[in-house]
Amino acid sequence: MTFLSLHPPADGRARGLVRKPMILMLALLGLSFFAGFTALLCVADDLNDKADQHSVLLLDKAFASREESMRFHLSDNAEWGEAYDNLHLTLNLDWAWRNQNLGESLFQTFGYEGVFVIGPDGRTRYSVLNGRLQRQSIEAWLGQDSLKRLTDLLRQNDGNALSRLLVAGGQVALVGAAWITPGGDRSVDSVEDAHSVMIFIDRLTPAKLENMGDEYGIKKLTYAASQDIHLYRVPTMGGTVMLKWQSDNPGGALLTWLLPLLVLMMCGTFFTAFMLMRNALRKARHSDVSTFLLEQSQQALTASEQRFRDVAETITDWIWEADAQLCFTWISGRFPAVTGYHSQAWLGQPLHRFLLDDIDLLPRLAQHDETGEPVILSRCRYRSAQQHIRFCNLTLRPVMLAHGKRGYRGTATDVTLEVEAEARVKYLSQFDELTGLPNRAQMNACLAGKLNGTLHGDCPLAVIMIDLDKFKPVNDLYGHAAGDSVLHDVSARFNACLNEAGMTARLGGDEFIMIVFDANSREEIEELCRRIIAQINLPFAINGGEVFIGASLGVALAPEDADNPGDLLRYADIALYKAKNAGRNNWVFFQRDMGEKIVQRREMERELREAIQTDQLRLAWQPRYDVRSARVTAVEALVRWHHAQHGILMPDQFIPLAEETGLISVLSDWVLHRACADARRDLRDLAVSVNLSAVEFRDKGLPKRIRTALELTGLPSHRLEIEVTENAMLQDPDTTLEVMLAIKALGVKFLIDDFGTGYASLSYLHTFPFDGIKIDKSFIFPLNDSSQAHQIVENMVGLGKAYSLTITAEGVETARQMELLQKLECDALQGYYIGKPQPLEEIVAAYCISSEAV
């Protein structure tokens, strides 16, 4: 019997290996926290410096703003013909003081303590001090040297208004000066050689300084001694004055919160590291003991390793042993769980009886007896106790059994799930999982096979492409499970209509292909299409209710239309597109000119995209007449396409195409930018209205696009009006309202275009943020001859007035219509009688609008 020592080796190698890294780790932790404290102090100091620098920049801006304001007031009072007459040529106290042209209002409104007029001889002719008329020399306020510097600076600046800071009475004073000139008044005769000077003085008292600092977020701004901190040096004509303020001290706040936290973290970290080091040393001591014991048991483990390796190589689902005749002598405990049989029921039974496949195993095993290599049999069938067919992989190896006789040992791995999965994959490669119909791959193979055979014109092969109408609302309203149920029922109805005369395949979604073999005539195909639509129009039972859908069919024939699968499917798709555009729920046979129309439409789309990029679009401007002011106050921007081959195209000829192809956003951006830029440059004071498509209001990015157009062009937002039809409120009204409110927040106005022709509820007049309505011209044309039309227009005007909206009448073409609409109290008129859509130059010339930029 062997006794093992429980004492670890004397050298303690594990403890030595652990101690050194732990000491190094503690040193690194100390350095890390020292670096952290240093960085925190540096960051706090840097934050304080940046805060002070920001305050200095704000002070620079504050002083610059005050100086600019004074120069503006000086220019406004000094460059004035009346001031030149009453202050320079003569001194008119009634004009200056009693009429308050240069009186106490300058002190009350702007806080100017001193207002002086210095004559050409350098003497003070007129002065207002602290809002009172007092005759006092300016030298008493500024000093003789300051006045001389101001007059020299004025001469260098050609008499234009200037401002300077100087020290007066220990405080900073803002002084502004300018020559008194007639300005642009040509009725005043000026004397070139002699100049009177107007001077404004704004003393920056401590109260004014504190208020000025508060305006820019600087606390307690006041005068300071040179030894104070947070100093701001104000350079003046008489020296330098220091200002101080209360710093925000963000660095101190940072230290207040983070420094205690960092100290606490350091203490916790060192305590944790110490405990870990102590625990690691204890475990290292135990490791030395375990290493010694492990070396003692290694030989025993090596002896049993081979035995366990043999078992590990054969362990799978269940293990068995058999004699030389392959009769079971032992079966592992996993056998009942996998097969459902009791192990005892099969002991002594031959292996071939367990398998359903007729396999003669003994001859095959005899070939491997000498080499000892295993025999592997894949996917052998057997019947479980539940009478289910299952599959397993068998591994057989010749071995020497315990009693000295030869026999066999093997494993059986159940692979039923793997076989079923492969069968499932094979099925899905050919069939649609939801409906059980052939899929696209099987359809293509079938169609290619049929087309490779002999086709006759009398018995054509027909390809019918089917798209379900109104199926998307079923998914949206009832859920995808209901949609799947409808698709399953649709597939059954298709098969019933075809009645084994062809193949129905599902392409995906709600699209199907039906291949009809050897149809006797075109009429027979039409009858099939009629049956299909009739069946699909029948109700579908969903969740205890009924839903109704439709189907559009496109038919292509072989060999009449094409004799290859690609063209035949493409032609059927073109016919389907035609059927959907023709009103849906019908069928259309492919015709040669359909392909040409599709090509033409795609060419038109390409040309429109190119037109937007190459500046082929133009804007025409139609004036809008304001009844109250009796003048044109607004224009409507209307887009025109100057096509190289087709001439000028109107919006209704290409706007629908832009909406279908997704080009409407690019087109609208072009119109917005061009209209805003032209209005900003040439149409001074006129409002400009732009029509936007109803589909644009589904785009939540529209407000940002309009804001960008206004910012890039500089057009004030109150001059832009957006015209939108009533139909915009029909689809997704929540999103439309959200988008319109965001645009309204920019200051843009909204008008309802073609009012009275849409289908929206009148409740949108108070729900949506409209500013006005434009009555459609179809109500204006019969106004002269129809009392009913007159009553309708009168009611529309009353409705708009009730909602506080401006009313514009479109389509005004006669003086009589204009007279009637004025009596009905329309706010604005638009139409050919007012003015046709014209180029920008003609609009500018016709209404004498200055082209000078605003």
Side-chain angles (χ1 to χ4, degrees), residues 632-644:
V632 171
T633 59
V635 287
E636 180 178 358
L638 303 169
V639 65
R640 303 287 188 264
W641 181 2
H642 289 245
H643 196 282

Side-chain angles (χ1 to χ4, degrees), residues 95-116:
W95 180 89
W97 174 255
R98 294 182 181 86
N99 296 338
Q100 289 301 311
N101 287 306
L102 199 71
E104 65 177 345
S105 61
L106 292 173
F107 175 77
Q108 298 295 337
T109 304
F110 306 111
Y112 295 151
E113 292 88 346
V115 177
F116 294 89

